[in-house]
Amino acid sequence: MTAIIATQAALPAAEAVAGQAWSVPLSAMGAEPATHMGCNWVNAPHDILDDLAPIDGVSMGDNFWDLCAMLGLSRIMSGEV
């Protein structure tokens, strides 16, 4: 599994490479507005990861929560329980 997080500014370029894979809204305080979007991609194709790597604002790692911590981000939780 590959954890991928993109800034909102980098998201259009990342989606142009990989499609709309990002579904986890993130921010420094865990509150809206989202500054980043993230995903865990199982069996991500290496060619797509290679194309994502040079995009400024895209970060990748092996563990989603460790990557969030490294970037100082938390998941934005909806108000619904």
Side-chain angles (χ1 to χ4, degrees), residues 1 20 25 37 39 45 54 78 81:
M1 186 170 340
Q20 295 181 340
M37 291 295 288
C39 69
S78 70
V81 176

Side-chain angles (χ1 to χ4, degrees), residues 33-62:
T35 57
H36 295 70
M37 291 295 288
C39 69
N40 268 324
W41 194 337
V42 177
N43 297 323
H46 290 288
D47 57 333
I48 289 178
L49 296 178
D50 290 343
D51 289 345
L52 287 172
I55 298 174
D56 186 35
V58 172
S59 301
M60 294 185 279
D62 294 327

